[in-house]
Amino acid sequence: MGLVAATASDREVAVRRLLPALLAAFVAAPLLAQHPRPSAAPHHRRAAVPTPASVLGFAPGTERRLVDWDPIVRYFRLLGAASPRVRVRELGRTTNGAAFVAVFISSPANLAHLNELRDQQRLLADPRLVRDSAAADVIVRRGKLFVLITSSIHSTEVGGFFSPLDIASQLASDTSSDTRNVLDNTVVILVPSLNPDGVTIVSRWYNQTLGSNAEGTSPPELYHRYAGHDDNRDWYAFTQAETRLVVDSIYGIWHPQVTLDLHQQGRYGSRMFVPPYLDPAEPNVDPLLLQGDNALGLAIAWRMTGWGFSGIAVNSLYDAWTPGRAFQHYHGAVRILTETASASLATPVTVPAESLQAGLGVDPRTASWNFVAPWPGGTWTLADIVRYQTASAMALLDAVARDRERWLRTSWQVLARATRGWPGWPWAFVIPTAGQNEMALGTLLEILRHAQVEVRAALGSFTLGYERFFPGTYVVVLRQPYAAFAKALLERELYPDRREYPGGPPQRPYDVTAHDLALLLGVRVLAAADSLPVALSAPIAARPPLYRASGLSGGGPGVVRLGVYRSYAVSMDEGWTRWALDSFGVPYESLVDSTIRAGNLASRFDAVILPSENARALLDGLSPRRYPARWAGGLGAPGVQALRDFVDAGGTLIAFNQACEFAIGALDLPVTDAVSDLDATDFYAPGSILRLQLDTTQALAEGMPAQSIAWFESGPAFDVRDPTRVRVVGRFPAESGDVLLSGWLLGAPHLAGKAALVEVRRGRGRVILFGFRPQYRGQSLATYPLLFNAIRTSSR
Ligand SMILES: [Zn+2]
């Protein structure tokens, strides 16, 4: 059985050198035989390991009890020290400096040979290293299945703090044949939290407000320092430390074939969602993986129904469109999402049957094929959440352990197909180096590196169409294991026009509809239909770019005094604004309600940014009925007056997207929003990339190309009422057919020719209205310069 590398690079040569020994080990080693001897312990006796309660002081799921991250890590470390089935690894540090851990759980024999198993995974993850399917079969028969279980990326979904403790302690202690089968056939990598900082933020808020009106509310700060809830939309841009730890230190090394991500949903729907997902699926996801999602989701629902769980819905609410949540789908793995109904953080709630509400694809009051056993209503507690989540993990593990070879082969088949190339796919993407923005190009290469997509360099010149390309031009050949990632993110995609019924309103997608990195970054990428007439280098090693904004980065004398409004009714756009400024080293001060209401802003600031947030939330903020006075009330009338005074005295107010509505009203600006009164059947753009035409003679558009993009997401579009006070810097194209670049847009004629970026004079100052998000999720580098220009030109 020969294993031969198809192409040569250092990495491949190294792996090839390993192969004979590796294969010999697979064939010879009794520990990797398919039917290892059962351990000496009799069935169903619990091995002696510490219980979660012995460390936390209470059992996971206890009402009204939440804990910081530290005791959770302490438990896993104790468990690792006590159990030969458990090993804890710290992968690095979070944004706020907490330990980011992964817990490996398997049979002691498998754990003793993790290095060999890692090499097995590497061979399965790159079919070019394995000559044929017979050779792959050897590895599949002998190999172990890697299952990644991740939890609590969303920190108000607090069941996810505890379920990993129960999952781990059960796997470490249970001696039933089912659990032994799981441990023998799989290696579980459990990430107890994808956002450890948020565990502490939410737990402290909850404990601090326990017994008050604020008990059970969301904290008045983002539960991830920059991304908040968007931390689970970062799986193709990899901006945040936690995302990078997972892709670099788990996916990039261990190549799990099955993944489970534990989430919570609202309290009035089904008790739990598992796949199949709703349509649409992103078209570059291999159908075999989608079929795997379907089969495994149903296998979980089937087992849980047998165990007496009710209220489980499949094929509802959640789709498989955005790669922002589904890294796995482009890396040979199935992705099982479970969404369990929420309580009020750790506080129980009562949900009478008649209060249950229908959602997309499911009515939780009525049995249907995808909701076979309705939940009768009643009290819903943290213990219920932990019970459902833990059961879903156990059901998944039981299902995949019994079908280990099929899951390994599924992943191998998907990656093998990708290395051969799909019919109709371009041969490669070509990324010229000339004329590109260096930071944007560097960012794209860095993203592809995190995604383990190979980028090569042309070793000579070549012609594509009528254009000549020079040595050093980057080439992404779409015949490699993770080609689907590159294709999904670099090609122009439109979202299918889906309606609730023919001619009816749009069927709401679960998230945004566009993800084109070439557009978002402003990098020119071309598709080459056929193989290029030029030799290519081995895969290149990308270096992270250095982010600088000329005249702003690093601060210093003469620098613009910038304030960024920080709402207690949190706005993720505010977090992403700080992310953009911090990553470019632009100094600023966060301004809370009390600072703005106190007035006299002009003496301390040149510019103030209002990140995207709706007018009601900006004005009223958090409700004083629920939140203590310190956090309640929003900007209110004093805040409005302070912002008027600031602009009248010469300050610059910069509003993003939804905050424009507030700014227009509060500062009485002579522009109107042309799309605010349209209903969704006439006009709908739930997160799309539109074409933006810029007047580059104006300072705000300096250094920008005349044609750029706008990330449009339920934003305004402006009509100018008084041209003497309003300068239009950016517009949507006059031809409605030219407006949409990627994603979904209904009613393009309503946007055609409208202003998207305007500068409005008021008093001695000005207001800059961005009808879009120039710093969208840390991804839209193409429009960062507009933001920096707005700040730079605020200098007084
Ligand atoms: Zn969630």
Side-chain angles (χ1 to χ4, degrees):
M1 64 213 75
L3 302 174
V4 178
T7 55
S9 72
D10 289 351
R11 185 172 74 92
E12 290 157 6
V13 168
V15 173
R16 218 189 308 173
R17 214 177 292 132
L18 278 171
L19 292 184
L22 192 52
L23 267 186
F26 280 143
V27 175
L31 64 108
L32 292 167
Q34 258 179 298
H35 301 289
R37 275 187 308 267
S39 66
H43 287 206
H44 300 294
R45 183 181 297 167
R46 302 263 154 186
V49 297
T51 62
S54 69
V55 173
L56 305 184
F58 58 89
T62 301
E63 271 179 28
R64 293 188 164 83
R65 297 300 297 269
L66 294 182
V67 285
D68 288 7
W69 178 237
D70 285 348
I72 293 174
V73 175
R74 205 179 317 132
Y75 174 71
F76 282 110
R77 292 199 201 282
L78 278 173
L79 188 65
S83 170
R85 298 175 179 178
V86 178
R87 273 194 205 171
V88 180
R89 292 192 179 186
E90 183 175 326
L91 303 183
R93 292 276 152 175
T94 65
T95 302
N96 288 350
F100 192 98
V101 297
V103 183
F104 288 69
I105 307 172
S106 190
S107 69
N110 287 342
L111 289 183
H113 293 81
L114 266 184
N115 288 347
E116 287 99 296
L117 292 173
R118 186 188 57 212
D119 292 333
Q120 161 227 303
Q121 289 295 95
R122 198 163 164 191
L123 291 174
L124 283 175
D126 192 345
R128 294 169 301 182
L129 301 172
V130 182
R131 190 178 55 190
D132 51 36
S133 62
D137 277 348
V138 174
I139 308 174
V140 163
R141 278 200 302 276
R142 302 295 190 193
K144 302 299 169 186
L145 184 70
F146 277 66
V147 181
L148 174 64
I149 301 178
T150 54
S151 190
S152 73
I153 192 167
H154 292 148
S155 315
T156 47
E157 301 168 7
V158 295
F161 299 179
F162 296 109
S163 301
L165 299 163
D166 273 354
I167 294 166
S169 71
Q170 274 192 44
L171 290 173
S173 64
D174 189 67
T175 54
S176 69
S177 58
D178 286 351
T179 295
R180 281 209 317 274
N181 191 49
V182 166
L183 297 171
D184 290 338
N185 284 288
T186 70
V187 176
V188 177
I189 304 176
L190 176 66
V191 176
S193 179
L194 287 168
N195 177 23
D197 296 342
V199 173
T200 298
I201 290 170
V202 170
S203 291
R204 290 193 178 162
W205 172 253
Y206 182 76
N207 291 335
Q208 169 189 345
T209 53
L210 208 55
S212 76
N213 286 344
E215 178 178 328
T217 58
S218 294
E221 65 178 303
L222 290 172
Y223 53 63
H224 177 279
R225 192 201 293 179
Y226 294 115
H229 196 80
D230 273 351
D231 56 358
N232 198 34
R233 315 284 189 255
D234 196 38
W235 295 105
Y236 65 80
F238 318 123
T239 62
Q240 299 303 307
E242 294 79 6
T243 327
R244 291 179 174 202
L245 284 171
V246 174
V247 297
D248 294 348
S249 304
I250 297 180
Y251 286 108
I253 293 173
W254 300 99
H255 308 288
Q257 287 93 358
V258 173
T259 66
L260 168 65
D261 196 22
L262 300 174
H263 283 257
Q264 287 176 217
Q265 57 183 356
R267 77 177 69 145
Y268 296 109
S270 66
R271 294 305 91 190
M272 175 176 265
F273 161 85
V274 289
Y277 296 104
L278 278 183
D279 281 326
E282 198 281 320
N284 293 297
V285 183
D286 191 304
L288 187 52
L289 289 179
L290 294 172
Q291 204 68 284
D293 288 341
N294 294 345
L296 187 48
L298 287 170
I300 293 169
W302 180 28
R303 279 168 174 76
M304 287 182 66
T305 304
W307 296 338
F309 288 85
S310 63
I312 299 170
V314 305
N315 197 232
S316 63
L317 258 74
Y318 306 95
D319 62 44
W321 178 259
T322 175
R325 292 194 308 273
F327 181 88
Q328 305 88 335
H329 279 164
Y330 305 89
H331 290 81
V334 290
R335 172 181 191 251
I336 299 300
L337 165 73
T338 72
E339 295 269 359
T340 305
S342 294
S344 185
L345 297 181
T347 304
V349 293
T350 302
V351 184
E354 58 275 19
S355 69
L356 293 169
Q357 291 162 8
L360 206 54
V362 69
D363 181 349
R365 293 162 299 197
T366 313
S368 56
W369 80 266
N370 62 337
F371 188 68
V372 295
W375 177 67
T379 308
W380 188 251
T381 67
L382 182 59
D384 291 321
I385 300 167
V386 172
R387 211 161 44 83
Y388 270 70
Q389 288 186 333
T390 304
S392 73
M394 293 305 170
L396 175 140
L397 290 172
D398 182 66
V400 298
R402 286 173 199 279
D403 221 351
R404 174 184 57 84
E405 285 191 29
R406 187 181 312 280
W407 290 108
L408 287 174
R409 196 169 284 114
T410 288
S411 178
W412 190 81
Q413 256 179 289
V414 166
L415 300 175
R417 272 206 285 236
T419 59
R420 287 195 300 272
W422 281 82
W425 281 25
W427 187 79
F429 287 116
V430 172
I431 310 171
T433 50
Q436 305 266 29
N437 177 299
E438 224 169 276
M439 281 182 285
L441 179 58
T443 302
L444 178 57
L445 297 175
E446 178 76 351
I447 286 172
L448 295 173
R449 182 180 73 78
H450 285 300
Q452 299 226 319
V453 172
E454 291 168 0
V455 180
R456 298 168 190 269
L459 295 175
S461 301
F462 63 96
T463 304
L464 182 63
Y466 296 103
E467 195 172 345
R468 188 95 184 127
F469 294 90
F470 299 99
T473 298
Y474 296 112
V475 178
V476 180
V477 179
L478 290 181
R479 275 142 186 79
Q480 56 172 307
Y482 306 138
F485 180 90
K487 180 145 180 298
L489 275 309
L490 293 177
E491 73 178 353
R492 197 67 56 85
E493 265 179 39
L494 296 180
Y495 188 85
D497 186 355
R498 305 181 61 85
R499 308 301 179 103
E500 288 180 15
Y501 48 86
Q507 183 182 305
R508 200 180 72 84
Y510 187 68
D511 192 30
V512 299
T513 59
H515 42 255
D516 186 318
L517 279 175
L519 290 173
L520 286 165
L521 296 170
V523 174
R524 186 160 172 255
V525 176
L526 302 88
D530 303 309
S531 65
L532 296 172
V534 67
L536 300 176
S537 74
I540 57 143
R543 273 197 312 266
L546 185 66
Y547 294 107
R548 305 279 308 161
S550 148
L552 296 176
S553 296
V559 82
V560 174
R561 299 168 303 166
L562 176 64
V564 178
Y565 174 60
R566 184 171 193 162
S567 172
Y568 291 126
V570 298
S571 152
M572 286 178 271
D573 198 60
E574 182 267 338
W576 289 118
T577 305
R578 282 185 284 106
W579 170 253
L581 297 171
D582 283 351
S583 55
F584 277 75
V586 178
Y588 62 90
E589 189 179 319
S590 283
L591 307 178
V592 295
D593 292 323
S594 56
T595 319
I596 295 199
R597 287 184 209 137
N600 200 21
L601 296 168
S603 66
R604 295 168 49 208
F605 298 99
D606 302 310
V608 170
I609 294 177
L610 291 180
S612 183
E613 193 166 7
N614 72 53
R616 187 91 345 247
L618 286 165
L619 262 177
D620 297 346
L622 297 173
S623 165
R625 287 197 307 277
R626 293 300 303 274
Y627 286 84
R630 182 182 156 197
W631 293 288
L635 290 168
V640 169
Q641 189 56 51
L643 291 172
R644 281 184 190 151
D645 295 343
F646 168 67
V647 173
D648 288 342
T652 295
L653 183 66
I654 303 166
F656 294 159
N657 202 39
Q658 292 189 322
C660 291
E661 185 199 347
F662 166 83
I664 292 168
L667 284 92
D668 193 19
L669 305 179
V671 294
T672 46
D673 177 0
V675 296
S676 63
D677 293 335
L678 301 173
D679 71 36
T681 310
D682 294 324
F683 179 74
Y684 191 60
S688 305
I689 302 173
L690 307 186
R691 194 187 302 274
L692 178 69
Q693 297 176 332
L694 291 164
D695 177 355
T696 54
T697 63
Q698 301 201 38
L700 276 182
E702 196 188 315
M704 287 288 292
Q707 301 280 333
S708 186
I709 60 136
W711 178 268
F712 193 87
E713 189 179 339
S714 315
F718 307 115
D719 281 322
V720 174
R721 281 193 284 117
D722 180 356
T724 65
R725 283 178 57 199
V726 181
R727 276 198 286 191
V728 176
V729 182
R731 281 187 190 283
F732 299 115
E735 280 294 326
S736 57
D738 294 341
V739 177
L740 180 65
L741 285 170
S742 183
W744 196 15
L745 172 63
L746 294 181
H750 293 292
L751 286 184
K754 299 293 178 195
L757 172 59
V758 297
E759 186 175 355
V760 188
R761 311 252 22 131
R762 182 189 150 117
R764 288 192 285 137
R766 61 182 183 152
V767 181
I768 298 169
L769 300 175
F770 282 86
F772 52 95
R773 295 175 63 187
Q775 75 323 9
Y776 165 71
R777 289 181 182 170
Q779 297 171 19
S780 56
L781 251 55
T783 47
Y784 274 34
L786 294 170
L787 165 60
F788 294 140
N789 285 341
I791 299 168
R792 210 178 278 121
T793 56
S794 304
S795 170
R796 284 188 280 165

